[in-house]
């Protein structure tokens, strides 16, 4: 592990330190990670996104505004009362906060864990570590500052698991005991903040043991009331099957790692995992996920996977059934496929569907319409109505069944249906 003063760690900032008051301290994850030298996170030249936090004895908002103006960067006043502002650079987000209490030491004492309570002055290279966070970094251990601090913001209870997972740390024994005894306070936290932590814990396979522990310690029961230890065992199965399926179908593996549209830290693999934790009834699951403030796209992902699962359990699907299955599945197919094998559906049974999904020329999974609605209106001289949608759908089904293959045949087929 490196000392911040060591020449091995290069500290680059997205702004000139001349604009930063002499008494400003960098705090939080950035200091922790630099000390751990987890990655060359401070090098702005690497394409990593920087997330820095500074504490100032006064004028935090004023300084942030000045820096934002100087670099024509984005400025967001996060909390006017507590004087916290954010400057958004293309490659970095920098928060400036008013020191809490009369000294930087007091500020550090109000934080969550010792490893997050180390301050660094970039002008003097001074490190302030009143809670021996550096020693805990060396022990690779999350240690609370006090039970009262955990209670002050119960999200910290979950942050312990998330950060232990991300850093490869353990949770110190007394901290673990305190978390368990304070677990019921987690419901006091805004659901949105809890969701962010859950998403982090669902993101990678090495977080799975930690989300399981968080559940065993009663932090997740209020949000996933249907979940049991088997539900959490399924998370490991999702991770394992995602790897195995990815070995056979590389593109499927890639798609599982893609983020759901507009979401923060939810991949399609996370959707499959969420589907293991929520109530299997899609309508109840929808309510659970709404309470956790998941987005519409994320909720649709989970509920669609749950709805489609029973269909995959049926032995053979006709081409017509497969067509409707893919129409409904869309982007959710990869998550549904993993969920299916986790629910003991044989890989061989869904292999033909995976092949279809990954073949862009497959008409059943990726139909190319023979006719547009407008063309059908003109050809049949009918008005736009729900009937039109029905006819187009029947044309598409007839096409996948191989009954028709040209626009002319499609018109004749539709006319027959319309007149008959
Ligand atoms: N509920 C919280 C959230 C944050 N903090 C303090 O604020 C710092 C910055 O918080 P944040 O940016 O959310 O997290 P990081 O610890 O920086 O780590 P990461 O980027 O890995 O989330 C933390 O290190 C910690 O000192 C805290 O005490 N309690």
């Amino acid at each position: 592990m490196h000392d911040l003063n060591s020449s091995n760690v290069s500290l680059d900032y997205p702004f000139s330190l001349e604009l930063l008051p002499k008494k400003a301290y960098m705090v939080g994850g950035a200091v922790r990670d630099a000390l751990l030298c987890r990655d060359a996170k401070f090098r702005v030249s690497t394409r990593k996104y920087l997330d820095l936090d500074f504490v100032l004895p006064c004028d935090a908002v004023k300084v942030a505004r000045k820096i934002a103006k100087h670099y024509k960067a984005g400025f967001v006043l996060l909390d006017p009362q507590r004087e916290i502002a954010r400057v958004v650079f293309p490659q970095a987000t920098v928060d400036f906060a008013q020191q809490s209490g009369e000294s930087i030491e007091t500020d550090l004492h109000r934080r969550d864990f010792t490893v997050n309570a180390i301050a660094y002055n970039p002008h003097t290279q001074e490190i302030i570590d009143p809670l021996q966070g550096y020693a805990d970094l060396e022990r690779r251990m999350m240690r609370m500052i006090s039970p009262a601090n955990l209670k002050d913001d119960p999200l910290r209870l979950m942050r312990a698991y998330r950060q232990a997972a991300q850093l490869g740390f353990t949770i110190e024994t007394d901290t673990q005991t305190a978390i368990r005894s304070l677990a019921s306070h987690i419901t006091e936290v805004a659901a949105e903040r809890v969701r962010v932590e859950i998403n982090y814990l669902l993101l990678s396979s090495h977080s799975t043991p930690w989300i399981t522990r968080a559940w065993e310690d009663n932090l997740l029961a209020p949000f996933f009331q249907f979940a049991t230890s088997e539900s959490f065992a399924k998370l490991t199965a999702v991770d394992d099957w995602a790897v195995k399926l990815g070995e056979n179908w590389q593109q499927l593996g890639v798609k599982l790692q893609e983020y759901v549209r507009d979401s923060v830290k939810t991949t399609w693999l996370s959707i499959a995992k969420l589907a293991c934790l929520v109530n299997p009834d899609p309508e109840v699951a929808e309510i659970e996920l709404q309470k956790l403030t998941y987005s519409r796209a994320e909720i649709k992902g989970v509920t669609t996977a749950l709805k489609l699962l029973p269909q995959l359990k049926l032995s053979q699907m006709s081409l017509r059934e497969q067509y409707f299955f893919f129409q409904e599945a869309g982007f959710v197919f990869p998550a549904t496929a993993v969920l299916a094998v986790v629910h003991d559906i044989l890989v061989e049974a869904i292999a033909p569907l995976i092949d279809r999904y990954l073949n862009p020329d497959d008409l059943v999974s990726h139909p190319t319409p023979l006719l547009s609605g407008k063309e059908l209106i003109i050809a049949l001289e009918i008005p736009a109505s729900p009937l039109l949608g029905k006819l187009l759908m029947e044309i598409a089904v007839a096409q996948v069944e191989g009954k028709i293959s040209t626009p002319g045949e499609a018109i004749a087929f539709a006319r027959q249906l319309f007149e008959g």
Side-chain angles (χ1 to χ4, degrees):
M1 197 161 67
H2 300 288
D3 195 295
L4 269 182
N5 299 316
S6 132
S7 55
N8 292 334
V9 179
S10 164
L11 301 178
D12 293 339
Y13 301 90
F15 57 88
S16 163
L17 289 184
E18 280 169 25
L19 296 169
L20 194 69
K22 295 279 174 268
K23 288 248 168 188
Y25 284 93
M26 189 159 73
V27 292
V31 177
R32 179 197 67 216
D33 293 348
L35 285 168
L36 274 176
C37 211
R38 198 163 57 139
D39 47 41
K41 205 174 172 183
F42 284 89
R43 288 188 171 277
V44 189
S45 50
T46 66
R47 270 188 283 119
K48 294 236 158 152
Y49 196 82
L50 277 176
D51 192 355
L52 305 181
D53 292 282
F54 284 93
V55 165
L56 281 68
C58 56
D59 296 333
V61 172
K62 215 165 127 187
V63 169
R65 215 186 281 278
K66 192 168 96 186
I67 292 175
K69 199 169 164 199
H70 186 92
Y71 289 95
K72 295 192 172 54
F75 172 85
V76 189
L77 184 55
L78 293 177
D79 189 334
Q81 256 80 48
R82 287 160 59 216
E83 279 228 40
I84 308 174
R86 174 167 292 175
V87 181
V88 184
F89 295 92
Q91 294 287 344
T93 295
V94 187
D95 288 353
F96 295 86
Q98 189 85 0
Q99 174 182 291
S100 158
E102 66 283 359
S103 67
I104 184 68
E105 283 83 0
T106 316
D107 181 294
L108 295 173
H109 272 91
R110 291 182 181 167
R111 291 174 181 265
D112 50 5
F113 301 99
T114 61
V115 293
N116 294 334
I118 307 172
Y120 170 72
N121 184 315
H123 295 292
T124 61
Q125 274 88 52
E126 178 194 14
I127 287 179
I128 314 238
D129 181 17
L131 294 141
Q132 286 81 50
Y134 194 96
D136 284 331
L137 278 180
E138 288 187 308
R139 290 187 197 107
R140 307 187 75 80
M141 192 176 261
M142 303 298 298
R143 183 196 302 274
M144 65 183 167
I145 288 172
S146 71
N149 284 20
L150 295 182
K151 202 168 162 222
D152 276 349
D153 177 3
L155 186 74
R156 292 168 171 173
L157 305 169
M158 278 192 73
R159 277 171 61 86
Y161 298 78
R162 192 260 293 172
Q163 294 198 329
Q166 285 182 331
L167 299 165
F169 281 20
T170 56
I171 299 178
E172 179 267 334
T173 324
D174 289 347
T175 306
Q176 184 68 77
T177 309
I179 292 174
R180 286 190 188 121
S181 71
L182 292 166
S184 61
H185 292 272
I186 194 68
T187 52
E188 295 160 17
V189 180
E192 192 183 334
R193 298 177 75 209
V194 173
R195 170 182 40 85
V196 172
E197 296 299 327
I198 291 174
N199 280 350
Y200 271 117
L201 286 167
L202 291 174
L203 205 54
S204 77
S205 56
H206 62 254
S207 299
T208 302
W210 287 101
I211 194 169
T212 307
R213 272 183 66 176
W215 181 76
E216 286 164 358
D217 292 341
N218 282 327
L219 288 170
L220 294 172
F223 312 104
F224 301 112
Q225 292 187 356
F226 188 82
T228 61
S229 48
E230 282 95 82
S231 321
F232 283 86
K234 285 203 171 80
L235 299 187
T236 310
V238 170
D239 288 326
D240 294 347
W241 274 112
V243 173
K244 282 188 216 156
L245 294 179
E247 280 164 5
N248 258 335
W249 292 277
Q250 207 195 347
Q251 262 311 98
L252 193 80
V254 170
K255 284 187 184 295
L256 283 168
Q257 296 301 340
E258 285 172 3
Y259 286 105
V260 178
R261 181 174 46 86
D262 297 337
S263 77
V264 184
K265 301 265 180 282
T266 305
T267 59
W268 288 105
L269 194 60
S270 315
I271 291 290
K273 291 185 189 176
L274 267 178
C276 297
L277 302 184
V278 292
N279 193 299
D281 177 341
E283 283 178 18
V284 183
E286 183 170 356
I287 297 166
E288 284 182 319
L289 295 171
Q290 270 169 353
K291 283 188 187 159
L292 277 168
T293 71
Y294 274 97
S295 71
R296 277 172 66 178
E298 289 162 329
I299 296 175
K300 184 107 182 30
V302 175
T303 53
T304 302
L306 289 173
K307 265 187 225 156
L308 292 175
L309 195 58
Q311 290 188 39
L312 288 177
K313 287 185 181 160
L314 299 172
S315 47
Q316 274 277 311
M317 274 198 264
S318 67
L319 284 174
R320 187 185 176 91
E321 284 165 342
Q322 288 181 43
Y323 168 81
F324 286 114
F325 175 86
F326 281 114
Q327 287 291 303
E328 181 144 18
F331 290 121
V332 191
F333 178 81
T336 313
V338 182
L339 199 63
V341 284
V342 167
H343 283 83
D344 301 326
I345 295 170
L346 294 178
V347 179
E348 298 80 67
I350 58 161
L353 294 176
I354 299 177
D355 289 333
R356 279 197 190 285
Y357 179 75
L358 295 178
N359 177 5
D361 299 324
D362 186 278
L363 276 182
V364 179
S365 56
H366 308 287
T368 36
L370 287 171
L371 284 180
S372 70
K374 214 167 161 190
E375 285 166 329
L376 196 59
I377 288 175
I378 295 167
L380 298 190
E381 295 172 347
I382 55 169
S385 72
L387 175 70
L388 187 72
K390 261 190 161 164
L391 288 174
L392 286 168
M393 189 191 75
E394 289 302 335
I395 290 172
V397 173
Q399 188 190 1
V400 304
E401 289 176 340
K403 291 180 184 159
I404 55 172
S405 60
T406 64
E409 285 171 359
I411 292 171
F413 176 78
R415 182 165 286 131
Q416 215 177 5
L417 282 183
F418 181 63
E419 285 167 3

